[in-house]
Amino acid sequence: MQISSELILTQPISSLSFNGVKTSILRLDLLHPVVSGNKWFKLKYYIKEALKYQKSCIASFGGAYSNHIVALAFACKENGLQSIGIIRGESTTPLSPTLIKAKEYGMQLHFVSRSMFNEKDSIKKELNYPDAYWVDEGGYGPLGAKGAADIMLSVNSEFSDIICAVGTGTMMAGLIKGSNANQQISGISVLKNNYTINSEINCLLSDNDRTKQFSIIHDYHFGGYAKSNSTLFHFMNQLWEEEKIPTDIVYTGKLLYAVKDLIQQSYFKPGNNLLIIHSGGLQGNSSLKEDILVF
Ligand SMILES: *Cc1c(COP(=O)(O)O)cnc(C)c1O
């Protein structure tokens, strides 16, 4: 899949432009129905590296609804590489829609118990794939951040604030790298009380990048990673009805909710020109019952 910058669309959001704040959104969700958003950017230099080292396969980790896993499966297929997904928890019948897609794209799945899943080094050792290039869970790492920095190539310098959802922090690190000194980057953490995220992001930054303006906001996790509630569903449905912008329950729904609330609380100031990064991930909504979201 080629990503053309013409495809990447910045659109204003009128329902989130108030209190003197102007808000637009970068629709990375429109890049591809399954492999949308930031995962594609985060993977591209890992793929290059794997090809350079003539590996036949890329292996990585994720949950049964992981955007990273399905994006990796697709990206490997596109590049003539095999892929292996180490999946947290037992296999289910049927498989989750995410894993069905990953398998369709040729990924070989390995299920690892929840208790073992965090022992990444021993899993790698045990599986012993000498031909595999390993990518960390969520694509975390310098090459992931380097790829995410390329998102900023299609962002106009007129924006005063760039706001994104934060999981591993790799995308945010990339946005910081790609931003200029007068832009402020704000990250909405989707994990509960994940206060080590600052140092994880700092690890991916150069000394110069660390002097840029960025902050993480911890108030919009809705109970924790992949947790959701009717307030969030209501907001997401309303946003769809007003703006025809689809969001997901894990990342972008929380992100847009946060932006609205932060404008209401005057966290952003009159004259601020915000750009929200829609990082995709809509396939993650496949974990929900069908009648919860209207889109
Ligand atoms: C993975 C993901 C994120 C988080 O990206 P990190 O680089 O892990 O912080 C945000 N939004 C969506 C839709 C994602 O799939």
Side-chain angles (χ1 to χ4, degrees), residues 38-39 42 67 138 165-171 248 251-252 279-281:
N38 71 358
K39 295 300 182 287
K42 286 202 288 184
N67 296 326
V166 174
T168 65
T170 311
M171 168 174 55
D248 78 290
Y251 297 102
T252 55
S279 39

Side-chain angles (χ1 to χ4, degrees), residues 36-39 42 67-68 137-140 148 164-173 190 197 225 248 250-252 277-282:
S36 68
N38 71 358
K39 295 300 182 287
K42 286 202 288 184
N67 296 326
H68 166 66
E137 189 173 6
Y140 177 81
C164 68
V166 174
T168 65
T170 311
M171 168 174 55
M172 180 160 173
V190 301
I197 189 71
Y225 184 73
D248 78 290
V250 182
Y251 297 102
T252 55
I277 307 298
H278 192 316
S279 39
L282 299 171

Side-chain angles (χ1 to χ4, degrees), residues 38-72:
N38 71 358
K39 295 300 182 287
W40 183 261
F41 285 91
K42 286 202 288 184
L43 284 170
K44 61 184 203 178
Y45 291 107
Y46 290 118
I47 303 247
K48 265 201 173 151
E49 191 95 335
L51 291 171
K52 186 171 118 190
Y53 291 118
Q54 301 189 328
K55 299 287 187 180
S56 61
C57 154
I58 300 185
S60 192
F61 303 88
Y65 292 91
S66 164
N67 296 326
H68 166 66
I69 284 292
V70 71
L72 178 65

Side-chain angles (χ1 to χ4, degrees), residues 126-147:
E126 200 169 302
L127 291 175
N128 187 25
Y129 296 123
D131 257 0
Y133 179 87
W134 287 89
V135 172
D136 280 354
E137 189 173 6
Y140 177 81
L143 288 179
K146 183 180 173 194

Side-chain angles (χ1 to χ4, degrees), residues 171-184:
M171 168 174 55
M172 180 160 173
L175 298 176
I176 295 166
K177 279 177 177 300
S179 67
N180 57 42
N182 43 30
Q183 286 173 320
Q184 161 88 31

